[in-house]
Amino acid sequence: MKGRLLIVDDEPQLTGLLEYLLKDEGYETSCAASGELALVLAEKDHFDLILLDINLPGMSGMEVCRRLGASAPPVIFLSCRDDDSDVVGGLESGAEDYITKPFNHRELILRIEKVLRHTSATSVIRCGDLEIDIQDERVRCRGSLIHLSPIEMSLIKCLAASQGRIVSWQELIERVWGYHDWEGGHDIVKVTIGRIRKKIETQPGCPQYLHNEWGKGYRLCFKNFPVEP
């Protein structure tokens, strides 16, 4: 899977076409028909990029982009508005790119790839003394390079990209292991979290970084890291 994309548009025909194109390219997609629902999904789930229409019912796409916040995934606007003022306004609201409708499908894919390359190239996430380089897949803790197995690396990258959000074990088992049958999944996640804690925590039994929120899931946090209430 290349990444998880959120498509925000109130035209079912267009969202259906985009889902088909993006899944064919190896992306996982979710859809929202309103700005309000887009904000809920962006808060609840992790996405690598958001394709956002400007003309939405209720809250406009530009308002959605402004409300997403600094820790949100990159945004590409898809809009029928092609005036220079609209393009400038869209970019000033925080979007990485602006594509006018109708658009060339191949161009859209290339622009998505370009934005994802740019954001991943600069995605070094720091939590106190813990540093996670998403692109190079390297983890340092208190200045020392930490050796993680591929599964352990995938798991900590997943939690790091969520930036303080609680991630359920069901979501982790699907995103890290690719399992949709959850039998035994909770124990698999728990054991892997325990192995990572032994490598990065000074006191694995009283973790600073990898927290277990009972009945909800896991999150990566530290005193200077965003944490949901």
Side-chain angles (χ1 to χ4, degrees):
M1 183 184 70
K2 289 184 177 180
R4 302 185 73 221
L5 309 186
L6 175 60
I7 303 167
V8 187
D9 201 297
D10 63 334
E11 299 179 36
Q13 187 173 0
L14 178 60
T15 56
L17 174 62
L18 288 172
E19 279 197 292
Y20 173 80
L21 291 171
L22 294 169
K23 287 180 178 178
D24 190 54
E25 290 289 331
Y27 294 100
E28 182 180 331
T29 62
S30 296
C31 295
S34 69
E36 290 81 1
L37 178 56
L39 290 175
V40 171
L41 292 178
E43 176 69 22
K44 178 182 177 183
D45 297 322
H46 165 73
F47 296 98
D48 298 294
L49 184 142
I50 299 177
L51 295 174
L52 180 60
D53 186 21
I54 289 181
N55 294 326
L56 294 169
M59 187 185 302
S60 73
M62 288 193 184
E63 180 62 21
V64 172
C65 191
R66 283 190 287 266
R67 292 194 184 191
L68 282 170
S71 62
V75 170
I76 295 179
F77 274 126
L78 300 179
S79 177
C80 58
R81 300 181 185 180
D82 58 1
D83 290 343
D84 289 345
S85 60
D86 292 317
V87 176
V88 171
L91 296 175
E92 286 181 341
S93 69
E96 293 286 334
D97 203 349
Y98 190 109
I99 302 175
T100 56
K101 301 176 183 178
F103 48 81
N104 180 280
H105 299 157
R106 188 59 195 158
E107 180 185 359
L108 173 64
I109 296 299
L110 291 174
R111 291 209 193 185
I112 289 172
E113 291 175 349
K114 181 178 179 180
V115 170
L116 289 176
R117 281 198 305 271
H118 170 72
T119 54
S120 65
T122 57
S123 57
V124 176
I125 297 174
R126 294 177 177 84
C127 318
D129 293 328
L130 181 66
E131 182 180 290
I132 302 165
D133 190 322
I134 300 295
Q135 182 187 26
D136 292 340
E137 296 195 336
R138 293 188 179 184
V139 174
R140 292 183 180 275
C141 193
R142 293 175 290 278
S144 298
L145 187 64
I146 306 298
H147 174 73
L148 298 179
S149 71
I151 285 293
E152 292 166 356
M153 179 63 70
S154 295
L155 192 150
I156 201 168
K157 282 171 57 180
C158 180
L159 291 173
S162 299
Q163 297 203 4
R165 179 179 66 85
I166 298 172
V167 184
S168 69
W169 68 263
Q170 292 95 334
E171 183 177 346
L172 288 170
I173 204 72
E174 287 188 0
R175 291 176 55 193
V176 176
W177 283 267
Y179 296 166
H180 297 287
D181 181 0
W182 293 338
E183 184 176 357
H186 180 268
D187 290 335
I188 293 174
V189 173
K190 182 179 179 180
V191 169
T192 307
I193 289 285
R195 290 205 307 262
I196 299 174
R197 280 177 175 161
K198 289 179 180 178
K199 296 179 179 182
I200 66 173
E201 303 282 3
T202 55
Q203 299 181 57
C206 186
Q208 293 178 308
Y209 305 113
L210 286 177
H211 289 239
N212 179 14
E213 302 295 335
W214 293 104
K216 296 181 180 180
Y218 298 90
R219 66 181 174 188
L220 180 68
C221 61
F222 197 69
K223 60 185 178 183
N224 65 343
F225 202 69
V227 177
E228 44 178 45

